[in-house]
Amino acid sequence: MSATIQTIDTPDGPFTLLADERGRVLASGWTADAGAIRARLAAPPADIAAGETDAADAVHAYYAGDLAAIDAVEVAQTGTPLQLAGWAALRRIPAGAPLSYTEFAAELGRPSAVRAAASICARNAPALFVPCHRVLRGDGTLGGFAWGLPVKRALLDREAAGR
């Protein structure tokens, strides 16, 4: 499988996208380090070339205020049935309406599986498009985020203001 990698500037810093030949985002995050993006995947594509991705337009639109622009971008993820269900559920969390890890576990039909819910967020490779940043600790604090808590806070603030 071949893939395209692209880094764009955002108000939250450089954002790198890795998309397959069909344009589906495999991995993304707030870094200019292509290796950090590849490392988010268990089996990254062997053939990766720099280029432009259609998904970059959605990122620009998101940062311009169209918070729903990321919703239509296709992603490709591999994982367990629970992980796949979790990543699909993350895409249904509306911008500006974050859930707690406990609420997210309940959305998965596994209310006692809070650690599994947190793990699903931690293993999410196409950040922003699968908005794991919309899940918080039970006390409302940020919890973890692969790309740093300042980015998570900025995303949540942007989404709260744009609602």
Side-chain angles (χ1 to χ4, degrees), residues 11-12 62-63 65 67 151 153-163:
D12 295 321
Y62 172 87
Y63 276 101
L67 301 177
V151 172
R153 170 52 53 211
L155 294 169
L156 291 170
D157 288 350
R158 182 175 290 103
E159 292 178 356
R163 241 187 130 191

Side-chain angles (χ1 to χ4, degrees), residues 1-5 17-27 41 45 47-49 52-55 74-77:
M1 169 177 42
S2 64
T4 302
I5 196 158
L17 307 101
L18 179 63
D20 68 12
E21 66 275 356
R22 293 176 43 195
R24 299 175 303 175
V25 176
L26 304 172
L41 299 171
D47 182 22
I48 300 174
E52 294 188 11
T53 65
D54 291 338
E74 286 188 61
V75 298
Q77 293 173 280

Side-chain angles (χ1 to χ4, degrees), residues 45-125:
D47 182 22
I48 300 174
E52 294 188 11
T53 65
D54 291 338
D57 292 338
V59 176
H60 288 302
Y62 172 87
Y63 276 101
D66 181 2
L67 301 177
I70 58 172
D71 298 343
V73 174
E74 286 188 61
V75 298
Q77 293 173 280
T78 56
T80 67
L82 181 60
Q83 287 172 327
L84 293 171
W87 293 325
L90 286 170
R91 295 198 87 180
R92 293 190 298 269
I93 301 172
L99 299 178
S100 69
Y101 288 105
T102 301
E103 291 167 328
F104 180 51
E107 284 289 316
L108 296 175
R110 310 256 314 258
S112 64
V114 176
R115 285 189 185 186
S119 176
I120 287 166
C121 292
R123 296 186 194 290
N124 176 45

Side-chain angles (χ1 to χ4, degrees), residues 24-36:
R24 299 175 303 175
V25 176
L26 304 172
S28 55
W30 288 266
T31 181
D33 181 358

Side-chain angles (χ1 to χ4, degrees), residues 116-135:
S119 176
I120 287 166
C121 292
R123 296 186 194 290
N124 176 45
L128 187 62
F129 305 101
V130 177
C132 57
H133 64 274
R134 295 179 185 160
V135 183

